[in-house]
Amino acid sequence: AHTNGKGGVSNEAPSLKKIAELIKSGKAKNIIFMAGAGISTAAGIPDFRSPGTGLYDNLAKYNLPQPESIFEIRYFKKNPEPFFELARELYPSKFLPTLTHYFIKLLHQKNVLLRCFTQNIDTLEQLAGLPEEAVVEAHGSFSKAKCLDCDKLADPKWMKETVFSGVVPRCLICEGIVKPCITFFGENLPQKFFRHMKDFDSCDLLIVAGTSLQVQPFALLINSVTFETPRLLINREKVACYDTGGGFDFDGSFSPIRRDVFYGGSCDDGILELAELLGWKEELLKLHKEGHELLKEEFAKDLAGEKVDDDVDALAAEFGKKVGISEEEKSTSNEFNDNKDDAKVGISEEEKSNKVNENKDDAKVGISEEEKANKVNENEDDAKIDKIEKGEALEDKHKEETK
Ligand code: OAD
Ligand code: ZN
């Protein structure tokens, strides 16, 4: 612990213990947690930049100009195949949240979490039980997919099946490439990210974990808190220690106020140590254990369900391929003309109602008047959502690009 000679408010070097005291005493009650891939590696998901194990070191087979190209929108538009090949590995599947995820959930339960900003697309925050409003998925997620040309949202189930069948998903309306709504380099971040940037004004403790802080604008968020707000980094390595303003200053070499703490090690170890200092260790371990038990049950149920569905899906997928070849076959076939199977073969609601309009003999495609009315309503809702999203994007003053 050194003093910096500038007579700052607090020259005492802060520590993990100090951070715990801030939370215990109720001084920190608007905590922001910023997360990166390192909080999920313990779940078995590789990060991006760790030498050897990171994703970017393992893309040789794709012959990319550079590893990041796989997530570059310009590259993707010309060569979507490498991304979709990788997407089969990246699609969120049966991964279990880590201790760190449950700690974020615990902060929420204790009413001291203002927000969790995550760069991860693995949805483990939600699986750990954090409600949607508590999380900002700064780089989007796989839960939605959109046509790059006409913006039409795709049916998630169709999307997943198409990706896993090994073909590039194409819009059923305009043939544009359908891309999961994860943020690529060169694309705007989701609106929710910009809406919640103001959270940082009221943040009284920032915890950053498992990120190299190399991607903008996310990385800049660490200096969106006030210059006195304590910041804790839990990471294998020190990151963002630039002295040009805003960077972490763990040893008090350039800032007037000592407020940055570094825990060097694994996220889960750091979190466990913090939980122990807080007196929350047992509670955290219980949350983790019970959470995993519950999820394992759910995954097992899903697996059982998938087996039953498999035959129907295989048939539907085959039908889907046929549909792709011949429009005529689609409207005259009476094998799969109820709603459920339409969804399976990836016919969007909009296309369905177009089809109904095109088709003079509605009875032929087996869609009742009532169903038609429902479809029109659903379409209108979709259109409304699209409009809202577009409107905000156009008006957004913060419009920034990743990296
Ligand atoms: P990175 O792979 O860049 O950084 C992960 C950081 O976590 C590194 O500093 C690792 O040393 C550290 N780390 C890994 N495992 C850890 C563990 N178990 N405990 C503690 N530290 C650990 O991942 P991000 O910073 O999340 O964007 O990457 C940011 C963005 O770059 C991603 O969201 C992705 C990528 O390109 C898009 O694809 C848009
Ligand atoms: Zn389209």
Side-chain angles (χ1 to χ4, degrees), residues 128-389:
L130 279 164
E132 210 183 315
E133 68 271 15
V135 184
V136 173
E137 289 175 327
H139 294 165
S141 84
F142 272 97
S143 62
K144 280 197 261 167
K146 246 191 207 177
C147 169
L148 281 181
D149 293 338
C150 77
D151 274 353
K152 175 71 194 167
L153 284 171
D155 174 64
K157 195 160 185 261
W158 168 81
M159 183 65 185
K160 192 168 182 180
E161 280 168 5
T162 309
V163 170
F164 279 88
S165 74
V167 297
V168 171
R170 292 273 171 187
C171 177
L172 295 154
I173 297 161
C174 78
E175 304 240 297
I177 305 170
V178 183
K179 176 186 152 293
C181 296
I182 58 176
T183 313
F184 275 33
F185 297 123
E187 285 190 302
N188 288 328
L189 272 68
Q191 289 304 302
K192 194 174 175 187
F193 175 86
F194 299 105
R195 273 204 303 276
H196 283 292
M197 284 207 337
K198 63 176 182 333
D199 290 346
F200 284 81
D201 298 343
S202 42
C203 171
D204 46 26
L205 169 63
L206 183 66
I207 305 178
V208 183
T211 173
S212 63
L213 290 179
Q214 288 200 22
V215 175
Q216 303 297 359
F218 192 91
L220 285 170
L221 293 177
I222 65 159
N223 50 50
S224 296
V225 294
T226 74
F227 72 99
E228 292 174 299
T229 306
R231 305 183 298 186
L232 164 66
L233 171 69
I234 303 177
N235 211 45
R236 287 216 174 108
E237 49 177 351
K238 284 186 184 171
V239 294
C241 293
Y242 40 88
D243 59 5
T244 47
F248 286 127
D249 183 15
F250 298 115
D251 30 53
S253 39
F254 54 85
S255 356
I257 294 174
R258 301 292 303 272
R259 44 97 175 235
D260 292 334
V261 182
F262 176 61
Y263 175 95
S266 88
C267 291
D268 287 356
D269 287 351
I271 285 300
L272 201 60
E273 206 170 311
L274 180 59
E276 187 150 29
L277 290 165
L278 282 162
W280 298 358
K281 191 177 162 185
E282 297 314 314
E283 205 175 344
L284 175 63
L285 292 174
K286 189 166 173 261
L287 201 65
H288 180 250
K289 185 169 170 268
E290 288 175 357
H292 277 199
E293 279 166 5
L294 219 83
L295 284 172
K296 278 181 194 160
E297 260 172 50
E298 268 176 42
F299 290 170
K301 261 189 238 155
D302 277 4
L303 273 177
E306 262 168 34
K307 288 231 172 74
V308 178
D309 267 10
D310 266 358
D311 294 344
V312 190
D313 284 351
L315 272 173
E318 208 187 301
F319 178 67
K321 274 181 219 147
K322 264 200 242 163
V323 171
I325 298 160
S326 153
E327 278 298 315
E328 201 179 292
E329 235 183 305
K330 207 190 317 190
S331 54
T332 52
S333 168
N334 49 18
E335 276 175 289
F336 289 96
N337 51 15
D338 71 295
N339 273 338
K340 206 175 139 226
D341 292 307
D342 268 2
K344 280 216 178 87
V345 296
I347 298 171
S348 70
E349 290 301 321
E350 196 171 308
E351 198 184 320
K352 262 192 271 182
S353 59
N354 285 344
K355 259 196 331 199
V356 173
N357 294 339
E358 279 163 23
N359 220 311
K360 279 172 192 136
D361 188 1
D362 284 352
K364 223 192 215 166
V365 293
I367 297 172
S368 71
E369 285 303 317
E370 194 181 292
E371 273 171 346
K372 266 193 279 178
N374 287 341
K375 269 178 205 142
V376 172
N377 289 338
E378 279 165 27
N379 271 338
E380 275 171 1
D381 282 350
D382 266 7
K384 250 183 247 158
I385 292 168
D386 277 359
K387 226 184 254 164
I388 291 167
E389 283 178 355

